[in-house]
Amino acid sequence: MLRAFLLSLGQLGDRKILAVFVKSLLVTVLLIAVLGAALWYAAARLAARWGWDSTAGGLLGAAALLAAFGLSWLLFRAIAIGVMGAFADDVVIAVEARHYPAALATARNVSTARGIGLGLRSAGRAILVNFALAPIYVALLVTGVGTWLLFFLVNGWLLGLDLGQMVAARHIPSALMRDWRKTGAVERFALGVAGTALFMVPVLNLFAPILGAAMATHLFHEGRSA
């Protein structure tokens, strides 16, 4: 895992990877901005319907923007990984071109539609699972560490699966993906926990999707050659 992280960190300056970073970050910011605008618009419409004056309407709009900011913080990982699904193939290709040229020669390109589908499923799975576990998260707050521990375990499992699938999609036929998911669960979980930890570090969390995809590529190929 440490080797995969160091190799991925060392390739952040690759032009193709930087291009993916810029594109994915712009799309993520755009989606968050759309969320904020939608909540602000909804607040403005409600204020108008209820006949509130401009001051009260402004306060409601401000509250809506704060809510959007809070939701964006909570959903950032899901949104970022969902967006990364559309561009992950470029990251995987860049890593394979430098470190695994033989594997690159036999890989299949993942279509944009399939990449977006993988990303949307990843985001939806993360949101639904964490929403379903929200009552347990709240109940575990009294333990001091239970909420964070469960969060790391659950999201480590989800993220490891998501990142692994982004790489496996290039080398394993869709019909065999179920069999692939039965193997390497421990390695994917470790990858997911590491990726989840990266998302918790300010500034570094912006690079977490890129680093996660690159690390997943290294772990996938090293696992196949072991």
Side-chain angles (χ1 to χ4, degrees):
M1 184 63 65
L2 179 60
R3 179 177 181 274
F5 174 73
L6 293 175
L7 288 173
S8 302
L9 194 63
Q11 201 173 348
L12 279 181
D14 188 302
R15 285 188 177 183
K16 292 182 179 179
I17 289 182
L18 284 176
V20 173
F21 170 73
V22 172
K23 288 188 293 185
S24 60
L25 183 60
L26 287 176
V27 174
T28 300
V29 171
L30 178 61
L31 290 175
I32 291 174
V34 169
L35 174 62
L39 288 178
W40 180 86
Y41 177 77
R45 295 285 295 179
L46 283 175
R49 175 172 293 183
W50 293 338
W52 289 6
D53 58 29
S54 58
T55 300
L59 289 174
L60 184 61
L65 290 178
L66 287 174
F69 178 80
L71 283 173
S72 299
W73 182 81
L74 291 172
L75 300 177
F76 176 74
R77 188 201 76 80
I79 295 173
I81 290 297
V83 171
M84 174 53 61
F87 305 117
D89 208 36
D90 293 338
V91 176
V92 179
I93 289 173
V95 174
E96 289 179 345
R98 177 176 294 188
H99 299 280
Y100 312 98
L104 177 62
T106 60
R108 61 177 63 83
N109 289 328
V110 177
S111 67
T112 301
R114 188 179 182 192
I116 292 174
L118 287 171
L120 289 175
R121 282 194 292 274
S122 297
R125 192 160 45 229
I127 293 170
L128 288 175
V129 170
N130 281 285
F131 180 77
L133 290 175
I136 301 178
Y137 287 151
V138 173
L140 289 175
L141 285 174
V142 298
T143 67
V145 298
T147 297
W148 288 106
L149 180 59
L150 180 60
F151 177 86
F152 265 87
L153 291 175
V154 170
N155 286 277
W157 169 64
L158 291 172
L159 184 57
L161 177 61
D162 294 337
L163 292 172
Q165 286 185 148
M166 291 179 186
V167 183
R170 290 176 44 78
H171 300 279
I172 298 176
S174 300
L176 299 178
M177 288 291 281
R178 179 173 295 180
D179 293 332
W180 168 81
R181 285 193 288 268
K182 296 177 182 178
T183 64
V186 174
E187 291 78 7
R188 286 197 303 274
F189 177 69
L191 169 66
V193 169
T196 301
L198 290 175
F199 272 105
M200 304 302 292
V201 181
V203 180
L204 194 57
N205 60 355
L206 299 177
F207 296 91
I210 295 285
L211 288 171
M215 290 168 65
T217 306
H218 288 293
L219 292 175
F220 178 84
H221 289 297
E222 288 175 5
R224 296 188 89 188
S225 61

